[in-house]
Amino acid sequence: FLQGNYVTLTNMSEHDIDRIIKYRLGPINISFQTTNPELRCKMLNNRFAGEALKKVDRLFEAGIQMNGQIVLCKGVNDGEELERSISDLSGYIPFLESVSVVPVGLSRYREGLYPLEPFTREEARNILKSIHSWQDRIYAEHGTHFIHAGDELYFLADEPIPDADSYDGYIQYENGVGMVRSFIDEFYEELAGRERDDSIRREISMAGGMIMHRTKEQMLSELKKKYPNLTVHNYPIRNDFFGEKITVTGLLTGHDIVAQLKDKALGERLLLPANLLRSGSDILLDDMKIGDISHALQVPIDIVESDGHDFISKIIDF
C-alpha cells in the first residue's frame, strides 16, 4: 500500500480486508488480469484467484478507493475476455477510479513458461479501438474515461498518443499510462517560452529505450529550429539483456548502454533518463553505476528527469 504496488488479492485474508476498511486505506491498486474466475485461476496459477475477486465487492461496498490494471496476454485475456472484464469492472465505478490495459512484457527468459507471443500492429489497433469505444460509453454515463491503454499499445499500433484530457488527470501515470503525452506537452510548453538562439554551439548525445526513439527524434527536430547550431546524437539502445522485445527505457542495463555506445560520437556530455535508475540511487538494473558508465565511455553524464521541461533544460542550460 505504501509503495503503490499492484496486488492480486490472492494472499490477502479477510482480516486484511477488515483492516483496509477500518483504516480507510486507499487507493488499493489491484491486478485484475480478468474478471473470469476460472481464467484468473489459470493465469495466476492459483486455485483461489477467482474467489479473490469477491474481496473487491467488499472494498466497493465500503467505499474504498481502488485502481486496477489488466496485463494483456495474446490469446488469453484479450478479445471477448477483455470486453467482459471492462464491462464487469465498470460496475465498480466510482470507487474503482481507473483501470489500465498494458501489454505483457516478453523477455527472452521464458523457458518453462506459458507460450506467449507479442501483439501485432493490427491486433494492437483492435485493442485500442475496443478501449476507445468503452471510454466513449463510460464517459457519457460517468464523466470519466475509466479504462486506459498503456502508452506502449499506441507505439505497437503506430497510432498517435491521445490528448491530455483523455487521461483523467493522469491517474495511472506511474503505471505507464499518459507518461508520453505528459512529456510531449511539457516539452512544447517549455519550447514555446524560448527564443531562437544562434549562439549556442555544442555537440552532445543522449540514449534511451527503443520505444521512445522516434518521439525524441521529432522533438529534437523542433528544438533544432530554435537552436540551429546544436548537435544532439540520439541513440536507441537495444535490450540485449532481456531481449529485443523489451523496448522500454526502465529495463535497460548499463552493460548494454556501454556496449552499444563505445564507438559512437558522444560529444561533450551524454544524457541518460532518470527511469534507468533504481529509486533514490545512481545504480542501474545490473548494478552498474552512472560513474561506471561515464568512466567506460570517457564522457560526463547528466541525468534527465521524466519531464519535458528538464529535457530541454539539460540540453541547453548548462
Side-chain angles (χ1 to χ4, degrees), residues 47-161:
R47 62 193 177 97
F48 301 111
E51 284 289 309
L53 289 171
K54 295 180 181 178
K55 296 168 185 174
V56 180
D57 294 331
R58 289 199 59 202
L59 296 174
F60 174 77
E61 290 163 4
I64 299 298
Q65 180 188 0
M66 297 174 282
N67 291 298
Q69 75 169 0
I70 296 171
V71 179
L72 208 60
C73 302
K74 182 175 177 177
V76 180
N77 62 338
D78 56 347
E80 291 183 3
E81 290 293 346
L82 178 60
E83 292 283 322
R84 168 181 173 163
S85 294
I86 298 173
S87 178
D88 290 346
L89 292 175
S90 66
Y92 292 112
I93 297 172
F95 300 119
L96 181 59
E97 293 191 328
S98 67
V99 175
S100 61
V101 179
V102 297
V104 66
L106 299 176
S107 77
R108 63 187 179 93
Y109 298 102
R110 295 199 51 81
E111 185 176 350
L113 298 179
Y114 187 89
L116 291 173
E117 296 180 358
F119 291 102
T120 65
R121 181 173 66 176
E122 191 60 33
E123 288 165 344
R125 287 180 173 176
N126 287 334
I127 293 165
L128 290 177
K129 183 178 179 180
S130 174
I131 290 173
H132 294 160
S133 176
W134 275 104
Q135 284 183 331
D136 291 342
R137 278 183 274 174
I138 293 172
Y139 191 84
E141 184 175 352
H142 298 283
T144 177
H145 294 88
F146 180 67
I147 187 77
H148 302 277
D151 294 350
E152 190 175 355
L153 273 170
Y154 290 96
F155 286 114
L156 284 173
D158 196 22
E159 290 198 0
I161 301 292

Side-chain angles (χ1 to χ4, degrees), residues 53 78 107 120 164 166 179 186 199 208 212 250 254 266 290 307 313:
L53 289 171
D78 56 347
S107 77
T120 65
S166 69
M179 280 187 171
E186 290 162 352
S199 68
M212 277 290 288
L266 300 178
I290 290 299
D307 178 296
S313 182

